[in-house]
Amino acid sequence: MSASKVATQFDVPGRLVTLQPLGAGNVNDTYRVIMRTTFSEEQFVLQKINQAVFKDPAAVMSNMKIVTDFAHQRIEEEAEESDRIWQLPRVITTKNGDDYVVDEDGEYWRGLSMIASTKSYEKVESPEVATEAGRVLGHFQRIISECPLDDLQDTLPGFHITPDYLKNYDVALEQEKGQELLNISMEAMRLGRFVENRRDLVSVLQDAYDAGKLQLRPIHGDPKITNIMIDQFTGKGTCIIDLDTVKPGLIHYDFGDAVRSSCNPAGEETSDLSEVFFDVDLFEALVKGYLREAGAFLTEADNQYLFDSIRLIAFELGLRFFADYLAGDVYFKTVYEGQNLNRARVQFALCESIEAREPKIRRVLEAHI
Ligand code: GN1
Ligand code: MG
């Protein structure tokens, strides 16, 4: 079914004016929908859930409802003492009262409220934005921390289990196509060696979890900087969007992902590797904002693995992009040939920069914890 036909099924007043592609997500299709009546205009977000990634879209929607209801209540309870108006998208029901539309092709569509007058960044250019990014993530993790884990389903089995990504990579490499793509370019071979030299790294968080040092908590799963909304007028962070991957996990996945995406001023899509580096000043700014909210619930053991999470999630994302390139771009959307290879180059360059700055990064953590 066409997106505009689906858009009119949500319980939003007015006639459809237009529908525009929104954001730069690598997984779902996202649109801004504009509805108008004689006296008003309402905009909302329409998304088609990518079922190649999310095999159980109803579970995604169930988690989203549970977590947003829980978080909205906490936001309301704390509203008086807050230094800002915190927001979080609301699931918009259909005219039939459902939480989503399933069209005749079996595609799942959802409507979400728009977080108005905010912007998100593809790359962070100032410490102020980094602090806000940290604050928004810490705030989100804190307000959902008591949401019962048993109510949340695993919407994406294997997500952020780095040893499993390494297995997928090995499978992609064994295929004829994978071998061909690896051997065709010096750059792909270089990345292959980069992975080989870091095989021992992949289980660092998983081992700590298996040993009972780290615990599962409700997490966001995908707090990259483009998912963090900053108020256009006050410059304060107000909200985190893209709640598909909210599920039980390690808070380290979130911390590592927010850090790796915020502290590389070149962003994820640059093709100039000389621009890619880990900016320790941005990192320090982010840590300050994060700990202001998260400091209270992080345990001693949690703190011990924060550095590892930064290095690991940069490496993991590079590995996921590289494996997807070798498998023929089946997971992450691409707009040009070799984009996933390029994205992998960027994350691996960032990982190297993180490794080179390990003592500095650890010092920043020690100074603020
Ligand atoms: C994907 O869809 P988007 O762009 O928010 C991916 C994340 C990656 C990110 C890298 C469900 O997120 O894990 O970190 O791309 N989401 C999923 O840009 O795999
Ligand atoms: Mg996402």
Side-chain angles (χ1 to χ4, degrees):
M1 195 183 279
S2 74
S4 33
K5 227 168 163 189
V6 176
T8 58
Q9 298 190 25
F10 288 89
D11 191 14
V12 178
R15 292 254 305 262
L16 177 68
V17 180
T18 187
L19 194 128
Q20 302 156 341
L22 183 67
N26 292 332
V27 174
N28 295 321
D29 292 343
T30 308
Y31 305 88
R32 172 201 302 274
V33 181
I34 304 183
M35 306 289 288
R36 210 172 273 163
T37 68
T38 311
F39 301 108
S40 72
E41 176 174 296
E42 192 143 342
Q43 299 193 2
F44 71 97
V45 177
L46 177 69
Q47 279 191 311
K48 182 166 87 177
I49 302 178
N50 182 339
Q51 289 188 61
V53 171
F54 297 105
K55 310 280 185 232
D56 186 354
V60 171
M61 293 310 294
S62 161
N63 280 8
M64 192 175 281
K65 266 298 276 179
I66 291 169
V67 164
T68 51
D69 285 349
F70 193 92
H72 286 143
Q73 202 175 325
R74 290 300 299 270
I75 289 174
E76 210 165 290
E77 284 162 10
E78 296 180 2
E80 284 209 1
E81 303 104 69
S82 292
D83 64 345
R84 65 194 68 192
I85 308 280
W86 289 101
Q87 297 182 291
L88 196 67
R90 179 174 60 81
V91 175
I92 298 177
T93 48
T94 67
K95 287 173 179 151
N96 300 329
D98 300 323
D99 288 335
Y100 48 84
V101 171
V102 187
D103 72 13
E104 66 258 14
D105 305 320
E107 300 287 3
Y108 281 62
W109 300 78
R110 64 177 171 228
L112 299 169
S113 60
M114 182 80 95
I115 306 296
S117 305
T118 52
K119 59 178 177 180
S120 70
Y121 294 79
E122 296 275 324
K123 11 182 151 169
V124 174
E125 277 150 18
S126 73
E128 287 78 13
V129 171
T131 299
E132 290 306 311
R135 180 89 192 266
V136 169
L137 175 63
H139 176 263
F140 182 75
Q141 286 184 341
R142 183 175 63 71
I143 62 171
I144 64 164
S145 63
E146 278 155 30
C147 181
L149 281 185
D150 289 348
D151 294 354
L152 299 175
Q153 301 176 56
D154 189 348
T155 53
L156 202 51
F159 192 49
H160 290 310
I161 310 292
T162 323
D164 288 358
Y165 290 118
L166 191 61
K167 281 188 203 139
N168 295 348
Y169 166 79
D170 286 337
V171 169
L173 257 190
E174 275 165 21
Q175 314 304 309
E176 211 175 300
K177 188 184 185 121
Q179 277 299 314
E180 206 182 295
L181 285 169
L182 181 78
N183 294 321
I184 211 169
S185 84
M186 298 286 289
E187 223 10 33
M189 285 196 284
R190 183 180 70 80
L191 298 197
R193 286 194 298 274
F194 188 90
V195 174
E196 290 316 310
N197 291 334
R198 284 164 185 77
R199 279 188 179 264
D200 293 348
L201 157 77
V202 299
S203 61
V204 57
L205 290 183
Q206 200 52 37
D207 288 348
Y209 171 68
D210 291 341
K213 293 183 190 157
L214 303 178
Q215 50 182 303
L216 296 182
R217 296 197 180 96
I219 61 158
H220 180 279
D222 187 11
K224 68 175 179 181
I225 188 67
T226 48
N227 285 335
I228 289 178
M229 310 305 286
I230 312 278
D231 188 314
Q232 263 174 7
F233 301 114
T234 63
K236 287 184 175 173
T238 64
C239 170
I240 188 160
I241 59 168
D242 192 4
L243 307 173
D244 291 315
T245 47
V246 166
K247 59 174 200 154
L250 303 180
I251 53 98
H252 298 78
Y253 305 149
D254 277 356
F255 181 73
D257 197 54
V259 170
R260 65 112 204 126
S261 62
S262 302
C263 304
N264 164 20
E268 262 174 61
E269 298 288 350
T270 182
S271 46
D272 182 356
L273 285 196
S274 70
E275 285 182 348
V276 177
F277 73 103
F278 187 83
D279 187 320
V280 180
D281 294 333
L282 290 178
F283 174 62
E284 181 155 29
L286 185 148
V287 166
K288 282 186 198 160
Y290 179 68
L291 290 179
R292 188 162 157 189
E293 298 279 350
F297 66 78
L298 292 180
T299 66
E300 180 81 27
D302 286 333
N303 292 336
Q304 270 170 25
Y305 286 90
L306 292 179
F307 170 77
D308 300 283
S309 76
I310 302 166
R311 179 182 181 209
L312 185 70
I313 298 296
F315 176 74
E316 177 192 279
L317 184 57
L319 181 67
R320 292 172 65 199
F321 284 142
F322 190 33
D324 199 35
Y325 168 73
L326 296 173
D329 303 325
V330 290
Y331 188 98
F332 295 104
K333 291 196 277 185
T334 54
V335 290
Y336 66 87
E337 213 185 297
Q339 188 171 6
N340 278 321
L341 177 67
N342 191 53
R343 288 166 169 161
R345 294 171 68 229
V346 172
Q347 293 305 313
F348 286 164
L350 183 64
C351 179
E352 260 180 325
S353 178
I354 292 166
E355 290 167 353
R357 288 165 176 75
E358 174 171 351
K360 275 191 185 169
I361 297 172
R362 287 194 185 274
R363 272 202 296 279
V364 168
L365 286 168
E366 276 157 25
H368 294 284
I369 279 168

